[in-house]
Amino acid sequence: MIASVADDVARTLARVDVAAARETYWRQGEFLVLERLFPESLAARWLDEVARVRPAIHRNYIPKHKKGGSVSHHTLRAEAPSILALYHAPAFTAFIRAITGRDAKPCPVRDPHACALYFYTEPGDHIGFHYDTSYYKGVRYTVLLGLIERSSSRLVCQLHRREPSRTPVDLSLATEPGTLVLFNGDTLWHAITPLGDHEERVSLTLEYVTDARMNPLKRFVSDMKDAIAYFGFRQVFARARGDAISRSATGKGGPF
Ligand SMILES: [Fe+2]
């Protein structure tokens, strides 16, 4: 089954005009959207795993910045093999490299953001404008994949904000199931607008980095930010020590 996820991902990406996508990515200041890239059959497998990990959602509220839920890489490694299969699919990593022109790789296992789900399930859930700042020595790329979109929330972005010679461009996007967004986290200024009543939005993010080294001070800042703003101290620091805190019946982590 996992091999078939990787194969299906490869088949999907083989249909993409990579040269055109690369040109668009760079023309838009390292930002690319491919609407409904992945077919419903693949998204359905990922949605099964979204349902499975819902009991593990960790919710956070930081006034004036964010409100919402997340499920970390550590939980997904234990319970979401089809999502992890996408993250590590050779064709997918090759695609990221082909678009960005850089030798990006999946982030280290200890990184709770490496492959994580973000749940907007309660009225007002949102995240304010920010960059996905890389604490790594290398460039970090974010892939955002829409999985559930039954909301008036939008991914709002400003392109070219850090390019003085270019005019900023504002965008507002619904991330429908299977839609892929790829960007350089240090260049895209972006937010998710607040969820309305009786709405739901779930997205997956995958992070790739060109150099995964990190100095100890940045490591500490990154861990604290992840613990407070996203996943909780237990997820972040137990994993940083290498403890096993899987919720799975076997108590073992995933294959990656
Ligand atoms: Fe972000």
Side-chain angles (χ1 to χ4, degrees):
M1 173 178 167
I2 301 312
S4 76
V5 169
D7 291 346
D8 287 352
V9 167
R11 267 191 291 277
T12 299
L13 294 174
R15 292 194 287 269
V16 175
D17 181 342
V18 173
R22 185 192 304 122
E23 191 278 326
T24 302
Y25 174 83
W26 284 101
R27 179 167 38 79
Q28 297 190 134
E30 298 201 61
F31 175 80
L32 176 69
V33 181
L34 297 173
E35 301 272 2
R36 294 188 182 273
L37 170 66
F38 291 109
E40 282 182 21
S41 56
L42 254 180
R45 294 191 196 185
W46 299 324
L47 285 168
D48 285 346
E49 295 177 348
V50 168
R52 190 186 305 166
V53 302
R54 273 182 191 267
I57 294 174
H58 185 90
R59 285 193 56 86
N60 290 90
Y61 172 46
I62 298 176
K64 297 183 180 175
H65 179 56
K66 77 182 285 285
K67 184 165 86 74
S70 46
V71 170
S72 76
H73 184 206
H74 311 316
T75 299
L76 296 185
R77 285 180 64 233
E79 304 205 21
S82 294
I83 290 175
L84 265 290
L86 167 65
Y87 187 42
H88 292 276
F92 197 63
T93 310
F95 176 76
I96 305 299
R97 291 175 183 164
I99 299 296
T100 63
R102 296 203 183 96
D103 187 22
K105 302 180 180 70
C107 290
V109 166
R110 78 182 298 285
D111 185 339
H113 281 287
C115 172
L117 287 166
Y118 298 90
F119 289 79
Y120 299 77
T121 56
E122 298 184 3
D125 280 0
H126 74 288
I127 183 162
F129 273 101
H130 64 283
Y131 293 101
D132 289 357
T133 303
S134 176
Y135 288 84
Y136 292 106
K137 290 197 172 171
V139 179
R140 191 177 70 164
Y141 299 97
T142 297
V143 174
L144 190 158
L145 183 68
L147 289 176
I148 295 175
E149 179 51 281
R150 289 193 288 265
S151 81
S152 54
S153 279
R154 294 292 177 265
L155 168 66
V156 288
C157 322
Q158 187 173 77
L159 312 185
H160 312 307
R161 187 178 171 88
R162 285 179 163 168
E163 296 176 84
S165 62
R166 300 189 67 174
T167 305
V169 174
D170 293 311
L171 298 176
S172 176
L173 305 164
T175 50
E176 302 291 347
T179 292
L180 176 144
V181 183
L182 165 65
F183 56 90
N184 178 333
D186 281 312
T187 64
L188 188 74
W189 182 241
H190 61 284
I192 302 290
T193 61
L195 198 77
D197 292 341
H198 311 296
E199 294 184 344
E200 183 174 50
R201 177 182 183 280
V202 180
S203 62
L204 171 70
T205 65
L206 311 171
E207 304 282 356
Y208 295 86
V209 66
T210 58
D211 181 344
R213 288 175 296 169
M214 194 184 287
N215 81 39
L217 179 60
K218 285 193 173 178
R219 165 85 59 209
F220 177 73
V221 171
S222 177
D223 284 347
M224 289 298 286
K225 183 166 163 271
D226 289 343
I228 293 167
Y230 289 95
F231 305 111
F233 282 87
R234 185 163 180 265
Q235 280 280 316
V236 171
F237 288 99
R239 279 289 168 172
R241 293 197 306 269
D243 299 355
I245 51 170
S246 165
R247 289 177 54 255
S248 72
T250 62
K252 293 176 183 169
F256 302 104

